[in-house]
Amino acid sequence: MNTETIKKEKNTSAKTEHISGAEAIIKCLIAEGVDILYGYPGGAIMPVYDELFKYQGKIHHVLTRHEQGAAHAAQGYARISGRVGVAMATSGPGATNLITGIADAQIDSTPIVCITGQVPSHLLGTDAFQETDIVGISTPVTKWNAQVTKAADIPEVMAKAFYIAKSGRPGPVLVDITKDAQFEEFDFKYEKCTAVRSYNPVPKTDINAVKAAAKLINNAKKPMIVWGQGVILGKAEAELKAVVEKSGVPAAWTILGASALPTSHPLNIGMVGMHGNYAPNKLTNECDVLIAIGMRFDDRVTGSLDTYAKQAKVIHFDIDPAEINKNVKADVAVLGNSKESLALLLSELNTNKHEAWHQEFKDLYAIEYESVIKDDILPEKEGLTMGEVLKEINTHSNGDAAIVSDVGQHQMIACRYAEFNHSKSNITSGGLGTMGFALPAAIGAKMAEPHREVVAIIGDGGYQMNIQELGTIFQQKAAVKIVVLNNEFLGMVRQWQQLFFDKRYASTEMTNPDFVTIAKGYYIDAKRVTKREELADAVKEMMASKSSYFLEVCVEKEDNVFPMIPSGASVSEVRLS
Amino acid sequence: MSQEIKTFTISVYTENNIGLLNRISAIFQRRHINIESLTTSQSEIKNVNRFVIVVKITEEQAIKLVGQIEKQVEAIRAYYHTNEETIFTESCMFKIKSDLLFDEPQIQNIIKESDSRIVTVNKEFFVLEKTGRRFEIEALREKFEVYGIMQFVRSGRIAVTKDEMKVSEILEAFKNQ
Ligand SMILES: Cc1ncc(C[n+]2csc(CCOP(=O)(O)OP(=O)(O)O)c2C)c(N)n1
């Protein structure tokens, strides 16, 4: 390691101890404030587990039932708390099982550190038992990764790992540590990393760019904000609220930006994107200034780029210079941390109200309400809808719960209808769309913030992708509320088959097991609801429960999620049916 | 911005760490951009590596690539330049039967005119090294081809830029930070 390339916190009180690499890893984690980590043992990581045994009470290791569960639990932990999540696995299959979670964390900018054991260094490259090139495999899906073959390198690499994972635009880091390095003894001393020479996590905000942005906003007749997770990651919720209120600009959110501004805020105009709200999608193509804050113009947000907001001047606030002009050309780009740049913007903004313009959003909302929302949340047909389940959850959560959704129709319904009073409350796999995310992520979220109500909303398909984590819930007594919206289909794919493949339902129908019995097998209280009359009481009972609870709601089998922007279409072609 | 496909030389200053080559080449692979040539070496700064990557792309693509490369934690800075903005060269080697030196008088003239250098000669073969632009190297290769080439190899482009790339300043600023 070339120590000129990083800066460390001066820690004069840190004393040097002669310990093993394995013990050093635990001490690094504790020094970084890690209270919980998720993982699964195996040969190449056993020395570290042996130390975990000795450090019980100082750091809590959660045995998940699959390494993918460990990675997603670490993500859930990070997403609800803003702290770095940690997952650990053995070499070979243990390490490869982490990859989906790592890829998910990469695309959703989630700070996690994954530690993998590796075969002893003299066996590297020999196709040894459970050897896999996890550094090679994880390179395209990590913010940074490194292999350690000498104990003496552990403190610096770990310090760098935590610093890189959480600074700037956060992301996953993987540290692969050979077994011999875990056994080796050395003089350990830990100093946190404070800077890396080749890495500029937070570009400086240019006040002139802020002024140019403010000028455009102050002169705009029909401005619109679309914010993303950058607001949450930058802890800029208060600044966003102040900007919105002072400027009077209607503000919409991407799926990952949800909850940064309460859903009840009068200027919150809903979600953009494929299944977002009608008004913000339609009016994206009518606004005169589009203010993008900490979002990356994902294709699920923009639809066809050729017809996306062409009439508007675009202002793009982002911490990552590579996002500027990547998908949508910015007329004004403001680099930097959202908290700082929004604070600077605030002082340049005129107080304004855009009542007539705001009314256009309300009018379109009324149309969406009549043709979609009413039937979703107050259905008159016989079958239960996903929307009414969400409405019932809102009634009991009062908007205070964190909603962890999986991927599919139920996810879109959850994000559309869940009410949020607090930031970091919508935990979902946005960029990667990873089925199987919700159950383990909910465990991580609940354990990170035990005082918060955590409700997982999952489809019958995605539930079965990581259903084994019920074992973790049971063992850890994690009071997660699990709602499976069972339509006996891979609903979202079935919807596409219906709309775009002439109803040829190839392999989307599911014959499901008795989910209530399965939950009960894990000693989790469980109930199934098949009729509307039973729903309110069942949700009430679940929400009142102090422990984990499983609720299956058998919903209408062939309901579709609308509004919808068919893929490749323009945001203004958003369909209501 | 011009959508014309041009040759760009991308210069990347990086920390000297294994794995970076993978990280950087993956950025090209993922976007289906063919790397015409890639050379890495020590740079003018101690412990700092320099990648010289040649690609045929649009300027818009070049800007995005440089953004993605700089995003890598261990990449210090990346730049893109057109041919006109760089001084560049390639080098090549020919291994040719020594008999030809005597049997084919033309060969001696070709060597003389080619501004190349004989690296070694023995009874069986001689090795010629030439540095220059691609078209010069190609012209020479075509001339020898008539007589037969035992081995030919050409390096990737190496290039320095006419304008400054202020990497030392960045590193200096870090030191004093
Ligand atoms: C790991 C993974 N495999 C496949 C997909 C593709 N996919 C997206 S949504 C979906 C259906 C999800 O079905 P279910 O979990 O029952 O939820 P529903 O849509 O019915 O609410 C599938 C298969 C995916 N997103 N993730």
Side-chain angles (χ1 to χ4, degrees):
Chain A
M1 249 295 115
N2 179 0
T3 37
E4 278 172 27
T5 64
I6 76 170
K7 280 205 187 324
K8 295 187 222 167
E9 186 184 79
K10 290 274 169 292
N11 185 355
T12 40
S13 64
K15 54 182 189 313
T16 304
E17 301 165 89
H18 196 74
I19 57 173
S20 71
E23 186 171 1
I25 293 166
I26 307 299
K27 282 186 169 285
C28 294
L29 294 176
I30 293 172
E32 289 291 346
V34 176
D35 53 349
I36 302 172
L37 73 159
Y38 301 86
Y40 212 100
I45 192 78
M46 282 188 68
V48 179
Y49 275 83
D50 195 40
E51 293 299 332
L52 279 168
F53 185 80
K54 296 179 201 156
Y55 278 84
Q56 281 177 72
K58 298 212 173 69
I59 186 163
H60 180 52
H61 178 272
V62 174
L63 174 69
T64 55
R65 296 305 187 261
H66 189 299
E67 290 87 352
Q68 186 184 350
H72 291 324
Q75 288 184 274
Y77 177 100
R79 289 274 291 270
I80 200 169
S81 69
R83 305 193 297 270
V84 178
V86 179
M88 190 182 283
T90 191
S91 65
T96 55
N97 276 345
L98 292 174
I99 289 293
T100 302
I102 295 175
D104 196 288
Q106 170 85 341
I107 201 161
D108 280 351
S109 307
T110 309
I112 62 170
V113 169
C114 295
I115 298 164
T116 51
Q118 183 55 281
V119 301
S121 54
H122 71 275
L123 291 179
L124 284 171
T126 66
D127 302 326
F129 178 64
Q130 294 193 329
E131 181 193 2
T132 189
D133 175 13
I134 198 63
V135 170
I137 290 171
S138 66
T139 291
V141 291
T142 47
K143 185 173 174 187
W144 185 71
N145 61 8
Q147 185 173 67
V148 177
T149 55
K150 290 197 297 288
D153 291 341
I154 288 171
E156 194 166 304
V157 171
M158 290 291 286
K160 231 176 132 175
F162 275 86
Y163 171 68
I164 291 168
K166 69 186 172 201
S167 57
R169 180 176 183 172
V173 168
L174 180 136
V175 179
D176 190 37
I177 307 176
T178 59
K179 198 172 181 181
D180 50 331
Q182 297 169 38
F183 278 126
E184 194 185 352
E185 297 200 340
F186 73 113
D187 290 330
F188 170 80
K189 185 174 158 193
Y190 195 71
E191 291 164 316
K192 287 188 186 173
C193 174
T194 57
V196 172
R197 168 171 97 160
S198 54
Y199 167 57
N200 178 18
V202 186
K204 267 217 183 67
T205 305
D206 174 1
I207 183 69
N208 292 321
V210 174
K211 286 187 173 152
K215 193 171 167 199
L216 278 178
I217 299 170
N218 288 338
N219 291 327
K221 296 279 168 288
K222 296 176 165 194
M224 171 176 158
I225 288 173
V226 178
W227 86 81
Q229 195 190 199
V231 171
I232 297 171
L233 295 170
K235 303 185 178 67
E237 292 91 344
E239 288 75 8
L240 173 69
K241 184 161 177 277
V243 162
V244 166
E245 288 174 355
K246 186 172 182 190
S247 65
V249 177
W253 35 278
T254 69
I255 193 167
L256 285 177
S259 82
L261 193 66
T263 40
S264 60
H265 193 284
L267 283 164
N268 184 332
I269 46 161
M271 179 166 76
V272 289
M274 187 173 267
H275 293 290
N277 290 101
Y278 191 57
N281 275 322
K282 267 248 181 260
L283 297 179
T284 295
N285 277 0
E286 288 183 28
C287 66
D288 59 357
V289 176
L290 181 66
I291 307 143
I293 307 171
M295 57 82 84
R296 60 186 176 84
F297 293 109
D298 180 79
D299 57 289
R300 281 294 196 264
V301 162
T302 64
S304 158
L305 281 173
D306 298 337
T307 51
Y308 182 78
K310 287 295 177 200
Q311 79 296 341
K313 291 264 185 250
V314 175
I315 303 171
H316 195 175
F317 289 79
D318 212 285
I319 198 167
D320 180 357
E323 290 301 343
I324 306 297
N325 299 331
K326 187 183 83 176
N327 295 333
V328 171
K329 170 117 188 37
D331 295 283
V332 175
V334 184
L335 288 173
N337 175 296
S338 52
K339 193 176 184 68
E340 259 164 59
S341 38
L342 290 181
L344 289 172
L345 177 70
L346 183 65
S347 56
E348 301 288 333
L349 287 178
N350 296 343
T351 304
N352 212 334
K353 282 203 169 68
H354 290 281
E355 274 158 352
W357 168 234
H358 192 191
Q359 187 58 43
E360 292 190 36
F361 288 89
K362 291 180 190 160
D363 293 346
L364 291 182
Y365 177 81
I367 294 173
E368 181 180 345
Y369 186 85
E370 280 308 313
S371 52
V372 177
I373 299 174
K374 198 170 69 180
D375 293 334
D376 274 355
I377 62 174
L378 301 165
E380 285 174 2
K381 63 182 175 192
E382 198 189 331
L384 282 157
T385 65
M386 294 182 176
E388 66 185 307
V389 179
L390 261 295
K391 180 175 161 284
E392 211 51 53
I393 292 170
N394 287 336
T395 304
H396 293 279
S397 75
N398 294 314
D400 290 333
I403 302 291
V404 185
S405 52
D406 210 72
V407 173
Q409 292 184 311
H410 64 280
Q411 174 189 35
M412 293 301 126
I413 295 289
C415 294
R416 284 174 52 76
Y417 295 117
E419 286 169 9
F420 297 117
N421 299 331
H422 310 288
S423 186
K424 301 198 193 77
S425 293
N426 188 43
I427 299 168
T428 194
S429 167
L432 203 65
T434 306
M435 286 171 71
F437 172 85
L439 191 62
I443 298 171
K446 183 67 192 177
M447 295 185 80
E449 307 275 284
H451 62 281
R452 292 206 62 187
E453 181 77 81
V454 174
V455 182
I457 311 279
I458 318 182
D460 47 315
Y463 184 51
Q464 295 180 78
M465 281 212 176
N466 273 320
I467 194 169
Q468 76 286 347
E469 299 308 335
L470 290 174
T472 313
I473 291 174
F474 170 51
Q475 187 171 356
Q476 297 296 326
K477 303 191 171 53
V480 174
K481 309 294 164 63
I482 309 155
V483 179
V484 166
L485 299 177
N486 184 358
N487 53 13
E488 293 177 50
F489 270 107
L490 297 174
M492 186 57 90
V493 178
R494 187 210 52 75
Q495 174 169 345
W496 284 48
Q497 287 171 332
Q498 179 183 344
L499 298 178
F500 312 118
F501 294 88
D502 291 331
K503 268 198 172 191
R504 290 186 295 276
Y505 291 169
S507 293
T508 43
E509 198 162 4
M510 295 256 238
T511 306
N512 284 322
D514 180 344
F515 290 126
V516 168
T517 300
I518 291 175
K520 287 190 170 158
Y522 285 97
Y523 305 96
I524 294 169
D525 290 339
K527 191 162 256 173
R528 176 182 300 116
V529 165
T530 54
K531 295 195 199 73
R532 184 156 295 128
E533 308 84 90
E534 306 162 347
L535 180 66
D537 283 346
V539 171
K540 187 173 172 199
E541 180 178 319
M542 170 182 81
M543 298 298 278
S545 169
K546 293 268 171 281
S547 46
S548 57
Y549 193 102
F550 173 83
L551 178 66
E552 174 186 0
V553 183
C554 299
V555 295
E556 188 74 64
K557 289 174 75 162
E558 299 188 39
D559 270 353
N560 290 334
V561 184
F562 284 104
M564 179 176 194
I565 304 167
S567 56
S570 163
V571 281
S572 43
E573 293 171 275
V574 54
R575 287 169 53 172
L576 287 169
S577 62
Chain B
M1 189 173 310
S2 156
Q3 289 298 316
E4 182 197 347
I5 297 199
K6 281 205 282 195
T7 298
F8 286 98
T9 300
I10 297 182
S11 307
V12 192
Y13 286 84
T14 73
E15 296 296 354
N16 181 14
N17 279 351
I18 39 174
L20 253 180
L21 175 60
N22 237 342
R23 236 175 224 289
I24 289 175
S25 64
I27 292 171
F28 292 80
Q29 184 197 354
R30 219 179 123 188
R31 293 169 180 77
H32 260 262
I33 294 171
N34 192 33
I35 294 180
E36 302 283 323
S37 85
L38 184 154
T39 309
T40 95
S41 71
Q42 159 81 56
S43 72
E44 64 276 15
I45 307 158
K46 187 169 168 240
N47 288 325
V48 170
N49 273 13
R50 180 163 172 177
F51 286 64
V52 176
I53 305 165
V54 181
V55 280
K56 289 196 173 121
I57 49 177
T58 65
E59 181 165 12
E60 190 181 333
Q61 281 179 302
I63 293 170
K64 288 182 186 176
L65 274 177
V66 162
Q68 293 297 328
I69 294 169
E70 283 195 338
K71 188 166 161 170
Q72 305 306 315
V73 170
E74 282 162 337
I76 300 167
R77 279 303 289 274
Y79 304 84
Y80 71 93
H81 292 95
T82 60
N83 286 352
E84 296 71 36
E85 294 164 337
T86 58
I87 321 281
F88 60 95
T89 181
E90 291 174 351
S91 107
C92 71
M93 290 164 91
F94 296 90
K95 176 177 163 183
I96 296 172
K97 276 205 176 77
S98 294
D99 295 349
L100 292 175
L101 278 177
F102 311 102
D103 301 351
E104 299 283 354
Q106 251 317 95
I107 289 266
Q108 302 228 9
N109 292 333
I110 296 173
I111 296 173
K112 261 186 225 144
E113 286 159 16
S114 71
D115 201 12
S116 60
R117 193 171 66 86
I118 293 187
V119 183
T120 185
V121 191
N122 63 35
K123 268 193 225 143
E124 278 166 60
F125 63 83
F126 67 98
V127 174
L128 199 69
E129 180 246 20
K130 165 148 182 74
T131 298
R133 291 293 183 87
R134 172 73 61 90
F135 69 88
E136 298 170 306
I137 290 173
E138 273 306 288
L140 187 59
R141 194 179 59 77
E142 275 162 28
K143 283 183 191 157
F144 284 135
E145 210 157 42
V146 184
Y147 305 102
I149 302 168
M150 293 168 79
Q151 284 185 31
F152 170 75
V153 65
R154 189 185 63 229
S155 77
R157 171 184 296 195
I158 54 171
V160 291
T161 59
K162 292 180 183 169
D163 66 356
E164 248 182 298
M165 294 191 279
K166 298 190 168 162
V167 176
S168 309
E169 278 92 326
I170 297 170
L171 303 184
E172 208 48 44
F174 178 81
K175 229 187 231 165
N176 304 328
Q177 169 184 307

